[in-house]
Amino acid sequence: DGGITQSPKYLFRKEGQNVTLSCEQNLNHDAMYWYRQDPGQGLRLIYYSQIVNDFQKGDIAEGYSVSREKKESFPLTVTSAQKNPTAFYLCASRDGQGGYGYTFGSGTRLTVV
Amino acid sequence: AQSVTQLDSQVPVFEEAPVELRCNYSSSVSVYLFWYVQYPNQGLQLLLKYLSGSTLVKGINGFEAEFNKSQTSFHLRKPSVHISDTAEYFCAVSQGGYQKVTFGIGTKLQVIP
C-alpha cells in the first residue's frame, strides 16, 4: 500500500547537535510538507516543496533546512540554530491542486536534552 | 490571508451521545475545507473534505460536517460517539492550487464511558 514513512519514530539528541528526520513517500505525489506540532499550537508549516530541487520556507523555517533531490524523499534537518527543537514533527504529501487533502506520515518525536 | 478558529480546546461527551466540534474560518476567496483526526502519537488522517456542491459532507467513522458560507463555519458532527472516537480533531482551510493549508489549533474529544 502507498503511504508516507517517517523515521525514526522517536529521536533523542544532545543540545547543539544537528539531526536529520527522514520522510519517504511512494504515492507519486508532487508536493511534500514538513509541519511542527506543539501542544495547544496546532500545526505550523516549516518548509514545503512542490517539485524536485525546489522548496520554499514556511512560517517557522528558522533553524531548519531541507532538500528535495528525489520526488520520493524530503528530509528535514534540525540545526543547532533552532532554539526550541523538542516537538512532534509531521511530514505530509499532496497530489493535485487544492482539492486533495494531505496524506500524513506517523510523525517523529524529537527530544533534545 | 486565511485563518481557522476552533472554539473549543476540549470537548467531553458521554458515550453514545451526539457531539459537535465547531470550526470557523476567514478567507477573502473561496476555500476548500477539511477535518482531520489524530490519535495519540500518530499522524493526521483525513476525515472529510468540502470542495464544492452539497453543503453537507459525509466522512469516515460516521462523521459529517456542514459548510455554512454565510456564517463561515464548517462544524463537525456525529450523532452517537464511541470510545474509539477519543482523539484530537483539526479543522483546516486551503485556497486551492498549491496554496498552503492552514490548520486550527485542534479540539480534543474525550468520550466518557
Side-chain angles (χ1 to χ4, degrees):
Chain A
D1 286 339
I4 296 182
T5 301
Q6 289 189 243
S7 60
K9 180 77 173 171
Y10 298 94
L11 190 55
F12 294 87
R13 279 295 181 267
K14 291 184 178 180
E15 195 171 333
Q17 289 182 334
N18 290 358
V19 60
T20 297
L21 282 58
S22 171
C23 178
E24 303 277 335
Q25 56 103 352
N26 60 4
L27 299 164
N28 200 33
H29 286 175
D30 291 314
M32 296 187 74
Y33 306 79
W34 274 105
Y35 283 88
R36 170 179 171 142
Q37 185 177 19
D38 297 281
Q41 297 193 48
L43 278 70
R44 294 182 289 169
L45 182 63
I46 305 172
Y47 268 97
Y48 64 102
S49 168
Q50 296 176 0
I51 195 169
V52 175
N53 292 323
D54 187 45
F55 47 82
Q56 286 79 41
K57 294 181 179 180
D59 300 318
I60 56 165
E62 184 175 351
Y64 299 97
S65 65
V66 294
S67 63
R68 186 87 186 277
E69 297 177 1
K70 299 185 301 181
K71 188 175 185 177
E72 302 79 19
S73 179
F74 192 42
L76 173 74
T77 296
V78 184
T79 75
S80 56
Q82 168 51 233
K83 291 182 173 53
N84 185 19
T86 294
F88 191 51
Y89 291 87
L90 287 162
C91 180
S93 69
R94 183 167 70 173
D95 193 14
Q97 296 192 7
Y100 299 87
Y102 286 155
T103 298
F104 280 89
S106 58
T108 293
R109 186 167 297 281
L110 173 64
T111 303
V112 175
V113 296
Chain B
Q2 60 192 23
S3 66
V4 177
T5 301
Q6 291 185 245
L7 297 165
D8 305 300
S9 59
Q10 295 190 49
V11 173
V13 62
F14 286 104
E15 193 173 15
E16 297 184 5
V19 68
E20 178 179 83
L21 305 183
R22 296 180 292 169
C23 173
N24 288 88
Y25 70 93
S26 67
S27 175
S28 57
V29 298
S30 297
V31 295
Y32 298 147
L33 294 157
F34 306 87
W35 275 100
Y36 290 86
V37 60
Q38 183 182 35
Y39 300 100
N41 291 315
Q42 293 187 27
L44 279 68
Q45 179 185 6
L46 183 65
L47 266 182
L48 49 80
K49 60 186 178 184
Y50 172 78
L51 306 182
S52 64
S54 174
T55 57
L56 183 63
V57 180
K58 293 191 183 297
I60 62 173
N61 301 341
F63 283 94
E64 63 182 30
E66 185 158 17
F67 171 61
N68 188 319
K69 188 175 181 179
S70 62
Q71 297 192 6
T72 60
S73 67
F74 190 55
H75 301 332
L76 181 70
R77 302 185 182 102
K78 187 170 183 178
S80 176
V81 295
H82 189 266
I83 292 289
S84 60
D85 293 323
T86 295
E88 191 160 16
Y89 293 80
F90 291 90
C91 182
V93 62
S94 172
Q95 293 181 0
Y98 278 114
Q99 296 297 314
K100 72 173 186 178
V101 176
T102 300
F103 288 85
I105 63 170
T107 297
K108 290 185 178 177
L109 174 62
Q110 181 184 5
V111 180
I112 304 164

